[in-house]
Amino acid sequence: MMRFTGILSVFVTLFVLVSCQSDEEIKRQKYITEGILVYKNNCANCHQNKGEGLAALYPPLAGSDYLANKNSVICLIRYGQKGPIIVNGKPYNRPMPAQPQLSDLEVAELVTYIYNEWGGEKKLIGVKEVTPILDTCVK
Ligand code: HEC
């Protein structure tokens, strides 16, 4: 009986913990899970699975100082990027193709994944935040 009560209280505690997770946290995890897929299908070819980049050709996303400007990152995902850029002190200069096939939601999932995985953030970057930024990009 004692033992049963012990096990039961573990379950009750777990249940309370799980149901206390905020909706925001559940959404963040969902975005990250989707973001990983979007990344694997559209970005990993060049930037590699762990975001480490590829030699002097493709810059890294993991630990990239370029991530400091989130608006530029959001815009370059949709519209591509060309001309010389410096990432972590190293020069790159190859065109990155635009990704017009990605919806606003997919861009938001991707950006949430990138910043949570490699940008030192622990927060959701929702589609409501991303759409107005996409509207301001210079096309
Ligand atoms: C065909 C290869 C290729 C693909 C696919 C690609 N990129 Fe890039 N990306 C590049 C190159 C090359 C640059 C540097 C552009 C330059 O030199 O101006 C770059 C730059 C970047 C940068 C800014 C620099 C940095 O490393 O922080 C980010 C962020 C980025 N890409 C994210 C993405 C994301 C997210 C995807 C997937 C939607 C993606 N890229 C798909 C080649 C690619």
Side-chain angles (χ1 to χ4, degrees):
M1 190 57 197
M2 277 297 284
R3 183 130 175 231
F4 175 73
T5 321
I7 292 172
L8 190 68
S9 66
V10 168
F11 275 108
V12 170
T13 313
L14 277 178
F15 179 75
V16 170
L17 278 177
V18 169
S19 47
C20 278
Q21 264 195 336
S22 66
D23 288 354
E24 181 88 353
E25 176 57 15
I26 291 167
K27 205 168 162 191
R28 184 181 77 95
Q29 280 167 11
K30 193 164 166 269
Y31 265 54
I32 291 175
T33 309
E34 295 296 326
I36 292 172
L37 288 178
V38 179
Y39 182 80
K40 292 225 153 96
N41 292 334
N42 300 278
C43 322
N45 253 354
C46 296
H47 295 284
Q48 308 297 300
N49 269 333
K50 293 189 176 120
E52 71 269 37
L54 189 67
L57 301 178
Y58 305 122
L61 303 185
S64 158
D65 59 4
Y66 198 91
L67 297 187
N69 191 342
K70 204 177 277 166
N71 290 22
S72 300
V73 170
I74 289 169
C75 288
L76 74 74
I77 290 173
R78 172 147 307 158
Y79 296 103
Q81 151 75 34
K82 51 177 173 298
I85 62 169
I86 307 278
V87 181
N88 297 342
K90 291 197 190 145
Y92 296 86
N93 190 4
R94 293 193 134 227
M96 169 171 155
Q99 314 282 329
Q101 76 282 9
L102 300 178
S103 66
D104 288 15
L105 176 61
E106 286 170 318
V107 173
E109 290 165 343
L110 193 49
V111 170
T112 299
Y113 168 58
I114 290 171
Y115 279 84
N116 281 263
E117 184 73 14
W118 297 310
E121 288 192 6
K122 191 174 186 267
K123 72 176 178 76
L124 171 77
I125 301 149
V127 67
K128 287 202 187 101
E129 194 180 327
V130 165
T131 296
I133 296 170
L134 284 169
D135 289 341
T136 67
C137 300
V138 183
K139 287 152 210 171

mmCIF file of all heavy atoms in Angstrom, residues 27-62:
data_model
loop_
_atom_site.group_PDB
_atom_site.id
_atom_site.type_symbol
_atom_site.label_atom_id
_atom_site.label_comp_id
_atom_site.label_asym_id
_atom_site.label_seq_id
_atom_site.Cartn_x
_atom_site.Cartn_y
_atom_site.Cartn_z
ATOM 1 N N LYS A 27 3.913 25.427 -27.863
ATOM 2 C CA LYS A 27 4.004 25.954 -29.215
ATOM 3 C C LYS A 27 5.469 26.083 -29.649
ATOM 4 O O LYS A 27 5.827 25.762 -30.782
ATOM 5 C CB LYS A 27 3.327 27.332 -29.245
ATOM 6 C CG LYS A 27 2.823 27.728 -30.610
ATOM 7 C CD LYS A 27 1.913 28.940 -30.486
ATOM 8 C CE LYS A 27 1.751 29.623 -31.818
ATOM 9 N NZ LYS A 27 1.099 30.927 -31.703
ATOM 10 N N ARG A 28 6.320 26.522 -28.719
ATOM 11 C CA ARG A 28 7.745 26.656 -29.031
ATOM 12 C C ARG A 28 8.309 25.299 -29.445
ATOM 13 O O ARG A 28 9.010 25.183 -30.455
ATOM 14 C CB ARG A 28 8.512 27.189 -27.801
ATOM 15 C CG ARG A 28 9.991 27.451 -28.055
ATOM 16 C CD ARG A 28 10.703 27.946 -26.800
ATOM 17 N NE ARG A 28 10.967 26.879 -25.857
ATOM 18 C CZ ARG A 28 12.124 26.197 -25.788
ATOM 19 N NH1 ARG A 28 13.116 26.500 -26.582
ATOM 20 N NH2 ARG A 28 12.254 25.227 -24.910
ATOM 21 N N GLN A 29 7.960 24.277 -28.683
ATOM 22 C CA GLN A 29 8.490 22.953 -29.016
ATOM 23 C C GLN A 29 7.954 22.433 -30.339
ATOM 24 O O GLN A 29 8.671 21.785 -31.099
ATOM 25 C CB GLN A 29 8.196 21.985 -27.870
ATOM 26 C CG GLN A 29 9.212 22.192 -26.752
ATOM 27 C CD GLN A 29 8.843 21.517 -25.450
ATOM 28 O OE1 GLN A 29 7.916 20.717 -25.404
ATOM 29 N NE2 GLN A 29 9.548 21.845 -24.389
ATOM 30 N N LYS A 30 6.710 22.764 -30.644
ATOM 31 C CA LYS A 30 6.121 22.344 -31.912
ATOM 32 C C LYS A 30 6.836 23.049 -33.078
ATOM 33 O O LYS A 30 7.164 22.430 -34.084
ATOM 34 C CB LYS A 30 4.631 22.699 -31.900
ATOM 35 C CG LYS A 30 3.846 22.071 -32.996
ATOM 36 C CD LYS A 30 2.347 22.139 -32.712
ATOM 37 C CE LYS A 30 1.571 21.824 -33.967
ATOM 38 N NZ LYS A 30 1.257 23.031 -34.764
ATOM 39 N N TYR A 31 7.064 24.349 -32.912
ATOM 40 C CA TYR A 31 7.778 25.110 -33.949
ATOM 41 C C TYR A 31 9.171 24.507 -34.185
ATOM 42 O O TYR A 31 9.616 24.386 -35.312
ATOM 43 C CB TYR A 31 7.942 26.564 -33.505
ATOM 44 C CG TYR A 31 6.875 27.529 -33.995
ATOM 45 C CD1 TYR A 31 5.519 27.289 -33.785
ATOM 46 C CD2 TYR A 31 7.235 28.708 -34.649
ATOM 47 C CE1 TYR A 31 4.560 28.198 -34.213
ATOM 48 C CE2 TYR A 31 6.277 29.622 -35.079
ATOM 49 C CZ TYR A 31 4.943 29.362 -34.853
ATOM 50 O OH TYR A 31 4.011 30.263 -35.280
ATOM 51 N N ILE A 32 9.853 24.172 -33.098
ATOM 52 C CA ILE A 32 11.210 23.629 -33.233
ATOM 53 C C ILE A 32 11.171 22.301 -33.985
ATOM 54 O O ILE A 32 11.955 22.081 -34.915
ATOM 55 C CB ILE A 32 11.892 23.480 -31.856
ATOM 56 C CG1 ILE A 32 12.194 24.867 -31.275
ATOM 57 C CG2 ILE A 32 13.175 22.655 -31.952
ATOM 58 C CD1 ILE A 32 12.750 24.872 -29.866
ATOM 59 N N THR A 33 10.229 21.443 -33.616
ATOM 60 C CA THR A 33 10.117 20.140 -34.281
ATOM 61 C C THR A 33 9.868 20.314 -35.780
ATOM 62 O O THR A 33 10.505 19.659 -36.609
ATOM 63 C CB THR A 33 8.958 19.325 -33.659
ATOM 64 O OG1 THR A 33 9.133 19.333 -32.250
ATOM 65 C CG2 THR A 33 8.943 17.908 -34.166
ATOM 66 N N GLU A 34 8.961 21.219 -36.127
ATOM 67 C CA GLU A 34 8.693 21.479 -37.548
ATOM 68 C C GLU A 34 9.894 22.158 -38.201
ATOM 69 O O GLU A 34 10.256 21.851 -39.339
ATOM 70 C CB GLU A 34 7.457 22.385 -37.709
ATOM 71 C CG GLU A 34 6.150 21.768 -37.246
ATOM 72 C CD GLU A 34 5.743 20.550 -38.052
ATOM 73 O OE1 GLU A 34 6.019 20.509 -39.256
ATOM 74 O OE2 GLU A 34 5.165 19.617 -37.457
ATOM 75 N N GLY A 35 10.502 23.084 -37.459
ATOM 76 C CA GLY A 35 11.645 23.835 -37.980
ATOM 77 C C GLY A 35 12.807 22.931 -38.378
ATOM 78 O O GLY A 35 13.484 23.177 -39.379
ATOM 79 N N ILE A 36 13.016 21.870 -37.605
ATOM 80 C CA ILE A 36 14.095 20.926 -37.927
ATOM 81 C C ILE A 36 13.850 20.325 -39.317
ATOM 82 O O ILE A 36 14.768 20.230 -40.136
ATOM 83 C CB ILE A 36 14.175 19.797 -36.860
ATOM 84 C CG1 ILE A 36 14.637 20.383 -35.525
ATOM 85 C CG2 ILE A 36 15.095 18.668 -37.296
ATOM 86 C CD1 ILE A 36 14.571 19.405 -34.352
ATOM 87 N N LEU A 37 12.588 19.957 -39.577
ATOM 88 C CA LEU A 37 12.262 19.356 -40.875
ATOM 89 C C LEU A 37 12.468 20.349 -42.009
ATOM 90 O O LEU A 37 13.054 20.024 -43.044
ATOM 91 C CB LEU A 37 10.800 18.888 -40.890
ATOM 92 C CG LEU A 37 10.492 17.663 -40.046
ATOM 93 C CD1 LEU A 37 9.005 17.340 -40.110
ATOM 94 C CD2 LEU A 37 11.321 16.474 -40.550
ATOM 95 N N VAL A 38 11.973 21.571 -41.798
ATOM 96 C CA VAL A 38 12.117 22.598 -42.834
ATOM 97 C C VAL A 38 13.609 22.824 -43.105
ATOM 98 O O VAL A 38 14.044 22.934 -44.252
ATOM 99 C CB VAL A 38 11.426 23.922 -42.422
ATOM 100 C CG1 VAL A 38 11.594 24.993 -43.493
ATOM 101 C CG2 VAL A 38 9.950 23.704 -42.133
ATOM 102 N N TYR A 39 14.391 22.862 -42.045
ATOM 103 C CA TYR A 39 15.831 23.062 -42.177
ATOM 104 C C TYR A 39 16.473 21.931 -42.964
ATOM 105 O O TYR A 39 17.227 22.157 -43.916
ATOM 106 C CB TYR A 39 16.496 23.186 -40.789
ATOM 107 C CG TYR A 39 17.978 23.447 -40.901
ATOM 108 C CD1 TYR A 39 18.454 24.732 -41.168
ATOM 109 C CD2 TYR A 39 18.909 22.404 -40.817
ATOM 110 C CE1 TYR A 39 19.808 24.977 -41.329
ATOM 111 C CE2 TYR A 39 20.264 22.637 -40.978
ATOM 112 C CZ TYR A 39 20.709 23.923 -41.231
ATOM 113 O OH TYR A 39 22.056 24.163 -41.411
ATOM 114 N N LYS A 40 16.160 20.695 -42.587
ATOM 115 C CA LYS A 40 16.765 19.539 -43.271
ATOM 116 C C LYS A 40 16.431 19.548 -44.753
ATOM 117 O O LYS A 40 17.262 19.223 -45.599
ATOM 118 C CB LYS A 40 16.272 18.241 -42.625
ATOM 119 C CG LYS A 40 16.805 18.088 -41.205
ATOM 120 C CD LYS A 40 17.333 16.688 -40.924
ATOM 121 C CE LYS A 40 18.392 16.736 -39.853
ATOM 122 N NZ LYS A 40 17.864 16.456 -38.530
ATOM 123 N N ASN A 41 15.184 19.928 -45.078
ATOM 124 C CA ASN A 41 14.748 19.874 -46.471
ATOM 125 C C ASN A 41 15.220 21.044 -47.318
ATOM 126 O O ASN A 41 15.246 20.937 -48.540
ATOM 127 C CB ASN A 41 13.221 19.808 -46.543
ATOM 128 C CG ASN A 41 12.695 18.485 -46.015
ATOM 129 O OD1 ASN A 41 13.395 17.476 -46.045
ATOM 130 N ND2 ASN A 41 11.482 18.486 -45.500
ATOM 131 N N ASN A 42 15.537 22.182 -46.706
ATOM 132 C CA ASN A 42 15.799 23.379 -47.513
ATOM 133 C C ASN A 42 17.142 24.047 -47.274
ATOM 134 O O ASN A 42 17.546 24.889 -48.075
ATOM 135 C CB ASN A 42 14.703 24.423 -47.270
ATOM 136 C CG ASN A 42 13.329 23.920 -47.645
ATOM 137 O OD1 ASN A 42 12.955 23.948 -48.807
ATOM 138 N ND2 ASN A 42 12.578 23.425 -46.677
ATOM 139 N N CYS A 43 17.804 23.734 -46.203
ATOM 140 C CA CYS A 43 18.998 24.495 -45.820
ATOM 141 C C CYS A 43 20.230 23.625 -45.578
ATOM 142 O O CYS A 43 21.355 24.070 -45.788
ATOM 143 C CB CYS A 43 18.752 25.283 -44.533
ATOM 144 S SG CYS A 43 17.112 26.011 -44.379
ATOM 145 N N ALA A 44 20.007 22.407 -45.097
ATOM 146 C CA ALA A 44 21.122 21.581 -44.617
ATOM 147 C C ALA A 44 22.100 21.212 -45.731
ATOM 148 O O ALA A 44 23.294 21.037 -45.466
ATOM 149 C CB ALA A 44 20.605 20.321 -43.928
ATOM 150 N N ASN A 45 21.588 21.132 -46.961
ATOM 151 C CA ASN A 45 22.455 20.891 -48.116
ATOM 152 C C ASN A 45 23.678 21.777 -48.112
ATOM 153 O O ASN A 45 24.779 21.325 -48.391
ATOM 154 C CB ASN A 45 21.677 21.269 -49.384
ATOM 155 C CG ASN A 45 21.264 20.050 -50.126
ATOM 156 O OD1 ASN A 45 21.650 18.957 -49.751
ATOM 157 N ND2 ASN A 45 20.486 20.239 -51.181
ATOM 158 N N CYS A 46 23.459 23.039 -47.860
ATOM 159 C CA CYS A 46 24.557 24.001 -47.880
ATOM 160 C C CYS A 46 25.116 24.234 -46.475
ATOM 161 O O CYS A 46 26.304 24.132 -46.253
ATOM 162 C CB CYS A 46 24.102 25.327 -48.470
ATOM 163 S SG CYS A 46 23.614 25.197 -50.208
ATOM 164 N N HIS A 47 24.246 24.561 -45.537
ATOM 165 C CA HIS A 47 24.732 24.958 -44.196
ATOM 166 C C HIS A 47 25.051 23.761 -43.301
ATOM 167 O O HIS A 47 25.557 23.941 -42.199
ATOM 168 C CB HIS A 47 23.731 25.901 -43.521
ATOM 169 C CG HIS A 47 23.602 27.214 -44.236
ATOM 170 N ND1 HIS A 47 24.552 28.210 -44.164
ATOM 171 C CD2 HIS A 47 22.640 27.691 -45.076
ATOM 172 C CE1 HIS A 47 24.176 29.246 -44.900
ATOM 173 N NE2 HIS A 47 23.016 28.958 -45.468
ATOM 174 N N GLN A 48 24.722 22.553 -43.765
ATOM 175 C CA GLN A 48 25.032 21.289 -43.071
ATOM 176 C C GLN A 48 24.120 21.051 -41.862
ATOM 177 O O GLN A 48 23.527 21.976 -41.315
ATOM 178 C CB GLN A 48 26.512 21.220 -42.653
ATOM 179 C CG GLN A 48 27.493 21.500 -43.813
ATOM 180 C CD GLN A 48 27.404 20.472 -44.939
ATOM 181 O OE1 GLN A 48 27.628 19.294 -44.716
ATOM 182 N NE2 GLN A 48 27.061 20.914 -46.148
ATOM 183 N N ASN A 49 24.019 19.762 -41.496
ATOM 184 C CA ASN A 49 23.063 19.345 -40.458
ATOM 185 C C ASN A 49 23.239 20.038 -39.122
ATOM 186 O O ASN A 49 22.265 20.343 -38.442
ATOM 187 C CB ASN A 49 23.168 17.839 -40.221
ATOM 188 C CG ASN A 49 22.206 17.096 -41.124
ATOM 189 O OD1 ASN A 49 21.170 17.644 -41.515
ATOM 190 N ND2 ASN A 49 22.539 15.870 -41.472
ATOM 191 N N LYS A 50 24.473 20.249 -38.731
ATOM 192 C CA LYS A 50 24.693 20.881 -37.426
ATOM 193 C C LYS A 50 24.918 22.381 -37.549
ATOM 194 O O LYS A 50 25.419 23.014 -36.620
ATOM 195 C CB LYS A 50 25.862 20.213 -36.705
ATOM 196 C CG LYS A 50 25.526 18.782 -36.321
ATOM 197 C CD LYS A 50 26.580 18.166 -35.416
ATOM 198 C CE LYS A 50 26.155 16.777 -34.979
ATOM 199 N NZ LYS A 50 27.112 15.739 -35.386
ATOM 200 N N GLY A 51 24.594 22.934 -38.732
ATOM 201 C CA GLY A 51 24.725 24.374 -38.925
ATOM 202 C C GLY A 51 26.162 24.845 -38.952
ATOM 203 O O GLY A 51 26.432 26.041 -38.774
ATOM 204 N N GLU A 52 27.053 23.924 -39.214
ATOM 205 C CA GLU A 52 28.478 24.285 -39.142
ATOM 206 C C GLU A 52 29.001 24.943 -40.419
ATOM 207 O O GLU A 52 30.125 25.418 -40.458
ATOM 208 C CB GLU A 52 29.327 23.066 -38.769
ATOM 209 C CG GLU A 52 29.464 21.996 -39.847
ATOM 210 C CD GLU A 52 28.374 20.898 -39.780
ATOM 211 O OE1 GLU A 52 27.211 21.207 -39.472
ATOM 212 O OE2 GLU A 52 28.706 19.735 -40.083
ATOM 213 N N GLY A 53 28.167 24.959 -41.481
ATOM 214 C CA GLY A 53 28.622 25.549 -42.725
ATOM 215 C C GLY A 53 29.573 24.620 -43.454
ATOM 216 O O GLY A 53 29.828 23.494 -43.015
ATOM 217 N N LEU A 54 30.094 25.099 -44.609
ATOM 218 C CA LEU A 54 30.997 24.267 -45.391
ATOM 219 C C LEU A 54 32.149 25.109 -45.924
ATOM 220 O O LEU A 54 31.970 25.928 -46.828
ATOM 221 C CB LEU A 54 30.232 23.607 -46.545
ATOM 222 C CG LEU A 54 31.004 22.534 -47.310
ATOM 223 C CD1 LEU A 54 31.282 21.312 -46.433
ATOM 224 C CD2 LEU A 54 30.229 22.113 -48.545
ATOM 225 N N ALA A 55 33.292 24.893 -45.310
ATOM 226 C CA ALA A 55 34.527 25.558 -45.730
ATOM 227 C C ALA A 55 34.294 27.039 -46.007
ATOM 228 O O ALA A 55 33.575 27.702 -45.267
ATOM 229 C CB ALA A 55 35.104 24.833 -46.936
ATOM 230 N N ALA A 56 34.900 27.554 -47.086
ATOM 231 C CA ALA A 56 34.751 28.972 -47.391
ATOM 232 C C ALA A 56 33.521 29.217 -48.269
ATOM 233 O O ALA A 56 33.274 30.338 -48.695
ATOM 234 C CB ALA A 56 36.012 29.482 -48.080
ATOM 235 N N LEU A 57 32.759 28.144 -48.548
ATOM 236 C CA LEU A 57 31.624 28.271 -49.459
ATOM 237 C C LEU A 57 30.357 28.731 -48.752
ATOM 238 O O LEU A 57 29.711 29.690 -49.172
ATOM 239 C CB LEU A 57 31.339 26.922 -50.132
ATOM 240 C CG LEU A 57 32.470 26.323 -50.946
ATOM 241 C CD1 LEU A 57 32.046 24.958 -51.501
ATOM 242 C CD2 LEU A 57 32.851 27.265 -52.086
ATOM 243 N N TYR A 58 29.966 28.009 -47.697
ATOM 244 C CA TYR A 58 28.711 28.276 -47.015
ATOM 245 C C TYR A 58 28.970 28.633 -45.557
ATOM 246 O O TYR A 58 29.541 27.839 -44.817
ATOM 247 C CB TYR A 58 27.782 27.058 -47.115
ATOM 248 C CG TYR A 58 27.559 26.636 -48.543
ATOM 249 C CD1 TYR A 58 27.870 25.353 -48.983
ATOM 250 C CD2 TYR A 58 27.074 27.555 -49.472
ATOM 251 C CE1 TYR A 58 27.690 24.981 -50.306
ATOM 252 C CE2 TYR A 58 26.895 27.195 -50.798
ATOM 253 C CZ TYR A 58 27.206 25.906 -51.213
ATOM 254 O OH TYR A 58 27.034 25.557 -52.518
ATOM 255 N N PRO A 59 28.534 29.803 -45.149
ATOM 256 C CA PRO A 59 28.834 30.240 -43.774
ATOM 257 C C PRO A 59 28.071 29.420 -42.730
ATOM 258 O O PRO A 59 27.021 28.859 -43.029
ATOM 259 C CB PRO A 59 28.360 31.701 -43.762
ATOM 260 C CG PRO A 59 27.367 31.805 -44.863
ATOM 261 C CD PRO A 59 27.775 30.813 -45.904
ATOM 262 N N PRO A 60 28.583 29.354 -41.498
ATOM 263 C CA PRO A 60 27.895 28.620 -40.434
ATOM 264 C C PRO A 60 26.687 29.400 -39.911
ATOM 265 O O PRO A 60 26.654 30.626 -40.001
ATOM 266 C CB PRO A 60 28.961 28.530 -39.341
ATOM 267 C CG PRO A 60 29.818 29.734 -39.551
ATOM 268 C CD PRO A 60 29.843 29.977 -41.022
ATOM 269 N N LEU A 61 25.709 28.665 -39.384
ATOM 270 C CA LEU A 61 24.616 29.297 -38.635
ATOM 271 C C LEU A 61 24.880 29.122 -37.144
ATOM 272 O O LEU A 61 24.549 29.987 -36.338
ATOM 273 C CB LEU A 61 23.276 28.665 -39.004
ATOM 274 C CG LEU A 61 22.907 28.692 -40.489
ATOM 275 C CD1 LEU A 61 21.508 28.145 -40.689
ATOM 276 C CD2 LEU A 61 23.015 30.092 -41.053
ATOM 277 N N ALA A 62 25.470 28.001 -36.781
ATOM 278 C CA ALA A 62 25.790 27.739 -35.374
ATOM 279 C C ALA A 62 26.805 28.761 -34.890
ATOM 280 O O ALA A 62 27.906 28.856 -35.428
ATOM 281 C CB ALA A 62 26.345 26.323 -35.226
#
